[in-house]
Amino acid sequence: MLFDLHNDFATRFLNADYCKFRSTNIVTAAIWTSELSDAKSRVNDITRRLKEAGHAHIAIEDIGFTAHGEGYKQFDFSTYFYCSLTWNYNNAFAGGALDDGRLTPIGKCAIKAIEDGGCCIDLAHLNKKSFYDALDSAKNVLCSHTGFNEHPRSLDEGQIKALVERNAVIGLCTVQAFTTAHSAILFADVIDRFVQKYGCDNLALGTDFNGSDDIPDDINDYDKLLNVRDILINRGYSQNDVNKIFFENANTLYNKEK
């Protein structure tokens, strides 16, 4: 079984077609608003179509469109699994990974509105200053799709430790720029290094499929990605620990009572 915390199919395809996987795969449709014009109506339309298709796992990447007129105060966050405050650049709420802004006063208000709707705060795409600001302000956090190298979109050791201390789930991305993993074996190495330091209880998958073309050919779809489990099993991982990483940690978070 596999639970993907972050797949951008909903924005790329603008429909629910990509969520028609076998039942062992649970996919979170992340609506990437930075790509959308007239984002509010487009988000509502995509969300409606996903709900009609019976796809319950929906997230929003960058709620910047709700800043106008303090729209975040009226927006219904209860529909969504998680929301991130921004993308790679500053907006009214926070500073993005490629920018230098901080969490703003209305960013703190937005965090409260999101959490009042029973939705988690996604710390992906924040720069380090905004990451820690948001971590201090939020109760229910995750990092949906990231890596562990020196890239600005990746987490450093201090950020990983801070999330593990909060028992937050971290989704490992397949994007090579964030992992320096150019094959399934090297991707397994990234998992292994994380587990050796932090254990298996906080790591999950957040592929970023359809959000990037910078993904190794041998892990660029779910059938191929599932082969990484076999690599880990052959290295001595228990089935229970592999299941945590590939399914249980994310599934437990999703089913947590709001």
Side-chain angles (χ1 to χ4, degrees):
M1 298 177 73
L2 183 150
F3 195 129
D4 185 4
L5 280 173
H6 191 95
N7 185 319
D8 277 322
F9 76 84
T11 309
R12 177 165 289 194
F13 296 106
L14 298 178
N15 58 38
D17 290 347
Y18 206 81
C19 67
K20 296 175 182 176
F21 296 110
R22 61 191 185 192
S23 60
T24 52
N25 291 342
I26 297 177
V27 183
T28 298
I31 304 173
W32 181 14
T33 68
S34 305
E35 279 198 335
L36 300 176
S37 57
D38 190 18
K40 181 178 179 181
S41 63
R42 298 289 289 280
V43 166
N44 288 336
D45 178 57
I46 295 169
T47 299
R48 175 185 57 78
R49 283 188 277 172
L50 289 169
K51 290 174 70 175
E52 288 174 352
H55 187 82
H57 306 75
I58 313 172
I60 299 177
E61 183 175 358
D62 184 3
I63 64 160
F65 69 96
T66 68
H68 180 70
E70 296 187 326
Y72 65 89
K73 292 184 177 179
Q74 290 79 43
F75 192 79
D76 181 11
F77 291 107
S78 66
T79 296
Y80 303 95
F81 180 6
Y82 62 77
C83 292
S84 66
L85 298 175
T86 186
W87 189 56
N88 283 336
Y89 303 99
N90 297 344
N91 65 12
F93 298 122
L98 304 184
D99 226 325
D100 61 356
R102 300 291 294 260
L103 182 69
T104 67
I106 70 165
K108 292 182 180 180
C109 293
I111 286 174
K112 184 178 187 306
I114 292 167
E115 293 192 320
D116 284 349
C119 183
C120 291
I121 307 297
D122 181 15
L123 302 181
H125 283 286
L126 293 174
N127 62 38
K128 288 181 174 60
K129 292 181 289 187
S130 285
F131 173 94
Y132 286 109
D133 290 343
L135 190 65
D136 288 341
S137 297
K139 297 176 182 177
N140 301 304
V141 298
L142 77 156
C143 189
S144 66
H145 60 304
T146 190
F148 309 130
N149 64 11
E150 300 300 317
H151 194 282
R153 270 283 288 111
S154 295
L155 300 177
D156 64 22
E157 190 165 320
Q159 291 172 295
I160 296 171
K161 286 181 178 178
L163 289 169
V164 170
E165 287 173 1
R166 289 282 295 270
N167 198 30
V169 174
I170 301 169
L172 178 60
C173 194
T174 58
V175 176
Q176 297 177 87
F178 310 153
T179 64
T180 324
H182 308 304
S183 67
I185 290 174
L186 293 176
F187 189 76
D189 289 345
V190 176
I191 293 173
D192 195 35
R193 286 194 295 270
F194 182 99
V195 171
Q196 296 308 314
K197 286 187 176 182
Y198 308 106
C200 297
D201 293 337
N202 299 93
L203 189 62
L205 298 175
T207 64
D208 206 21
F209 285 168
N210 300 296
S212 174
D213 296 322
D214 183 31
I215 297 173
D217 290 341
D218 60 352
I219 55 171
N220 63 3
D221 66 40
Y222 290 112
D223 287 335
K224 295 175 184 175
L225 187 59
L226 285 169
N227 292 331
V228 177
R229 297 181 310 179
D230 298 330
I231 295 173
L232 294 171
I233 291 291
N234 289 336
R235 293 183 181 184
Y237 277 69
S238 70
Q239 189 67 56
N240 182 60
D241 284 344
V242 169
N243 287 344
K244 284 183 179 181
I245 296 166
F246 279 76
F247 183 80
E248 291 296 341
N249 292 337
N251 192 55
T252 298
L253 173 65
Y254 180 77
N255 287 295
K256 184 177 179 181
E257 184 176 351
K258 292 188 175 183

